[in-house]
Amino acid sequence: MAPVTSLSDSVHQHLASALSATRPEAAGADPLLRRSDRADYQANGILALAKKAKANPRELAAEVVAHVTTGDLIADVEVSGPGFLNITIGDRAITETLAARYADDTGRLGVPLAAEPGTTVIDYAQPNVAKEMHVGHLRSAVIGDAVRQLLEFTGETVVRRHHIGDWGTQFGMLIQYLDEHPHELDHKDARISGEEAMSNLDRLYKAARRLFDSDEEFKTRARRRVVDLQAGDEHTLAVWQKFVDESKIYFFSVFEKLDMEIRDADIVGESGYNDMLAETCRLLEESGVAVRSEGALCVFFEDILGPDGNQVPLIVQKSDGGYGYAATDLSAIRNRVFDLKADTLLYVVDARQSLHFKMVFETARRAGWLSDDVKAVQLAFGTVLGKDGKPFKTRAGETVRLVDLLDEAIDRASAVVREKAQDLSEAEITERGTQVGVGAVKYADLSTSANRDYKFDLDQMVSLHGDTSVYLQYAYARIRSILRKADGTGPVAHPELPLHEAERALGLHLDAFAETVAEAAAEYAPHKLAAYLFQLASLYTSFYDKCPVLKAETPAQVENRLFLCDLTARTLHRGMALLGIRTPERL
């Protein structure tokens, strides 16, 4: 089905035609259309045009109005203030446009694909092998997954990458210990839980650390193991692989709890770029982008200075020949640009890494790996704070385990669902409690602009009131309940009917879904979609309070209001899915 032209695009086209008919030199000028509380839309573009033409803006606005044809689309247009145009849309045009969205059987609600989609590699959800995931891993996963879904929905080719920490000196100690205690990671059962896998890794790590700290000979053997690992010794790599496999059992269990699809093929950790590191260094040194300084291979930046006033370099290779994160990150850029053919590299990484990525991206630009045609962007996110406004910790002052945090959210949400449930079985309460709890955690994260810190307050997150996913999920479930009670009367659009003010407000907002999705995807800003959905649920509540649905005055009005209900439900369902949040049919 062809995409649906939104009301704002249709009005924009009409105004652009009126502008060029008034002043031919204004062809292509932007009418600057936006939603307004004075009318349905306001156009502010005439002010800039008048300034350019040295004309009186109110007089120019009146000339433009004379060229606007009123009818089904633009019911009324008037000049306001210094030269704004206030525009009222006809009721018929609202209903007909929504009916076209409703008729879209692809589930896209008439949302067009991006005009020029490209290929984006998105790097998100990056846990560390043999380490527990904590609250600090939440945002990269949740924000990254929502941005991925938004981009895919707009037609972008998206390659997912989970750059896990699976390499480095810390593995020498673990590999050596497992080599000397070879059955520590054996499984009695074919399948073990993520919790068991993490417990195995944790036990092994603690035992290896005790030995490393107390036994000098073991420490020497462990350090030798790092050399073997980096040299690609087969036996050492086989033991290392056991840690990676055990960790993946754990990772997959946490991501499953987060209701997030992570595919094994998309996990390409630090180790995935080992074969490229030497060549990356050679290319940087030969091109003069990197230089040797005190034995290390460094890239210097005039604007990045330390406290002593000296330039702080990006160290690509250490003086002992070892490689740092920079070598891996630069090799990953080469792989993503030249092998995966990406034109956008998107990194969903903590804001505290901003300086590192600024240096890495600038180095790649100097080397010619990034260009005007290929951009790299860090979608930097803020910190998760406790209610006290400080970084979120347990009472004992430790970092909060991600699994514990999700379990508590599910428990709280299950209590809310149980309290409200009228005809749900115990199994349904458990299932809905999980969907509401995980949705609450995701929405709290996504409804905040990524670069801002946010407070993790479970009481607020699972509240039925205010800007929460629970409020949106209940709005959806309530609409589904109304549609079930309709008793054979189906949703049918009736463009001939006049609309109540609350129906108009809801209808105009429903039509704005397409441009909101496009904007949220283009700006990597899922919080804009979250804000849209909250406003949609609020406008629906207002409509429901003011406009009887099943007891409307005529059968046609009942059908038309059911149509508005159903389109609202579909829009909520699709929008929440793009944020990675479930919308249960009953709550």
Side-chain angles (χ1 to χ4, degrees):
M1 172 169 168
V4 175
T5 304
S6 68
L7 290 165
S8 64
D9 280 352
S10 297
V11 172
H12 188 284
Q13 286 162 16
H14 272 66
L15 289 181
S17 301
L19 279 173
S20 55
T22 308
R23 297 279 168 111
E25 69 273 20
D30 188 347
L32 295 180
L33 197 67
R34 62 180 181 81
R35 288 298 308 277
S36 166
D37 49 9
R38 306 272 167 96
D40 293 334
Y41 292 98
Q42 191 172 70
N44 304 341
I46 288 169
L47 298 183
L49 206 60
K51 195 175 178 184
K52 208 170 165 187
K54 297 187 170 53
N56 177 307
R58 270 192 75 89
E59 286 174 12
L60 181 59
E63 284 180 50
V64 174
V65 168
H67 284 96
V68 174
T69 310
T70 53
D72 284 348
L73 177 65
I74 298 176
D76 187 43
V77 55
E78 58 181 34
V79 180
S80 140
F84 301 137
L85 296 185
N86 283 348
I87 294 145
T88 303
I89 305 293
D91 289 354
R92 173 177 284 276
I94 293 174
T95 306
E96 282 179 346
T97 301
L98 296 182
R101 294 199 178 287
Y102 189 73
D104 183 353
D105 53 10
T106 65
R108 292 187 60 82
L109 302 167
V111 176
L113 295 168
E116 293 178 16
T119 298
T120 296
V121 174
I122 179 167
D123 188 327
Y124 68 106
Q126 310 105 341
N128 292 311
V129 163
K131 285 189 183 167
E132 190 128 35
M133 288 175 72
H134 54 77
V135 67
H137 292 111
L138 179 68
R139 299 207 73 188
S140 174
V142 170
I143 295 167
D145 198 51
V147 170
R148 168 190 71 77
Q149 299 208 68
L150 277 164
L151 289 172
E152 286 179 349
F153 189 67
T154 60
E156 186 79 359
T157 299
V158 179
V159 181
R160 317 173 197 187
R161 278 294 173 264
H162 310 295
H163 191 88
I164 63 172
D166 65 353
W167 202 247
T169 51
Q170 72 275 23
F171 284 101
M173 174 183 90
L174 294 170
I175 291 167
Q176 187 59 34
Y177 185 85
L178 187 58
D179 206 26
E180 294 176 12
H181 304 80
H183 300 297
E184 286 289 302
L185 284 182
D186 290 354
H187 298 159
K188 293 177 189 70
D189 303 314
R191 283 179 67 84
I192 66 162
S193 70
E195 199 73 18
E196 284 174 274
M198 192 62 241
S199 154
N200 289 343
L201 290 164
D202 194 46
R203 186 188 70 247
L204 211 139
Y205 181 85
K206 284 174 179 163
R209 169 55 71 182
R210 272 195 304 273
L211 202 54
F212 189 84
D213 291 342
S214 63
D215 183 333
E216 283 301 319
E217 287 183 359
F218 176 76
K219 189 181 276 191
T220 305
R221 293 197 298 277
R223 285 182 171 152
R224 236 182 269 134
R225 259 308 144 95
V226 177
V227 179
D228 293 343
L229 179 66
Q230 290 175 338
D233 173 64
E234 235 172 272
H235 174 69
T236 303
L237 281 172
V239 181
W240 165 81
Q241 188 65 47
K242 288 186 178 179
F243 285 102
V244 176
D245 293 343
E246 195 80 5
S247 298
K248 282 183 179 178
I249 295 170
Y250 165 69
F251 296 157
F252 284 125
S253 74
V254 178
F255 289 123
E256 193 176 341
K257 186 164 270 198
L258 260 174
D259 197 13
M260 198 175 285
E261 181 199 49
I262 300 286
R263 303 178 306 207
D264 195 45
D266 302 326
I267 299 176
V268 183
E270 294 166 11
S271 64
Y273 306 99
N274 283 347
D275 294 349
M276 301 175 70
L277 301 179
E279 191 184 13
T280 295
C281 292
R282 180 179 63 76
L283 291 168
L284 290 172
E285 194 169 5
E286 283 177 1
S287 61
V289 172
V291 294
R292 291 281 165 190
S293 174
E294 295 174 29
L297 187 62
C298 303
V299 182
F300 289 92
F301 308 86
E302 283 176 12
D303 59 338
I304 300 174
L305 307 174
D308 55 4
N310 291 331
Q311 291 183 15
V312 176
L314 180 72
I315 299 173
V316 186
Q317 189 177 23
K318 299 174 207 163
S319 54
D320 66 1
Y323 301 104
Y325 290 127
T328 308
D329 287 333
L330 288 162
S331 299
I333 288 177
R334 287 175 53 217
N335 168 255
R336 293 165 185 187
V337 173
F338 300 113
D339 300 335
L340 300 178
K341 305 284 187 266
D343 36 54
T344 304
L345 308 181
L346 184 58
Y347 293 77
V348 188
V349 183
D350 190 315
R352 288 170 291 195
Q353 303 279 334
S354 293
L355 180 61
H356 169 76
F357 279 103
K358 180 184 173 186
M359 294 162 91
V360 165
F361 295 163
E362 176 55 29
T363 300
R365 261 191 291 276
R366 290 180 190 176
W369 305 334
L370 293 176
S371 61
D372 292 345
D373 300 326
V374 185
K375 63 175 180 173
V377 181
Q378 182 195 358
L379 177 48
F381 55 82
T383 308
V384 181
L385 307 173
K387 287 186 191 179
D388 58 2
K390 294 175 184 165
F392 197 29
K393 302 277 187 196
T394 64
R395 283 190 182 153
E398 292 168 4
T399 308
V400 180
R401 296 167 71 223
L402 187 48
V403 172
D404 292 344
L405 180 144
L406 293 173
D407 284 343
E408 193 179 344
I410 290 166
D411 287 347
R412 297 277 187 96
S414 299
V416 171
V417 172
R418 180 171 276 108
E419 200 179 302
K420 296 277 289 182
Q422 288 162 0
D423 54 354
L424 297 180
S425 68
E426 198 55 37
E428 286 172 324
I429 289 172
T430 303
E431 183 199 33
R432 307 293 197 280
T434 301
Q435 293 176 349
V436 171
V438 171
V441 170
K442 287 184 175 182
Y443 187 84
D445 197 314
L446 295 170
S447 57
T448 309
S449 171
N451 58 10
R452 287 174 48 206
D453 300 343
Y454 80 96
K455 285 186 183 175
F456 195 92
D457 180 349
L458 271 178
D459 294 326
Q460 171 55 32
M461 287 180 187
V462 299
S463 168
L464 290 163
H465 310 287
D467 188 3
T468 65
S469 70
V470 192
Y471 173 66
L472 298 176
Q473 286 168 319
Y474 268 97
Y476 176 80
R478 189 163 90 188
I479 300 172
R480 301 302 301 159
S481 168
I482 292 164
L483 292 166
R484 284 193 296 273
K485 286 178 189 161
D487 233 23
T489 306
V492 181
H494 285 276
E496 73 282 0
L497 291 178
L499 295 175
H500 183 282
E501 189 186 334
E503 291 176 299
R504 289 178 55 82
L506 178 61
L508 287 165
H509 193 67
L510 280 167
D511 187 53
F513 178 64
E515 58 210 53
T516 304
V517 166
E519 190 181 330
E523 297 176 18
Y524 312 127
H527 69 279
K528 293 197 168 181
L529 177 57
Y532 168 90
L533 294 170
F534 174 61
Q535 198 184 347
L536 178 61
S538 305
L539 287 168
Y540 179 79
T541 302
S542 173
F543 153 78
Y544 186 75
D545 290 346
K546 294 172 183 169
C547 304
V549 176
L550 299 177
K551 294 185 176 170
E553 290 170 18
T554 65
Q557 200 172 47
V558 172
E559 289 177 342
N560 201 57
R561 286 181 177 168
L562 283 171
F563 152 71
L564 283 173
C565 287
D566 199 8
L567 185 58
T568 302
R570 290 183 189 189
T571 307
L572 276 171
H573 175 73
R574 167 56 69 196
M576 293 286 267
L578 289 172
L579 297 178
I581 299 172
R582 304 262 174 191
T583 37
E585 297 288 303
R586 296 172 191 264
L587 272 174

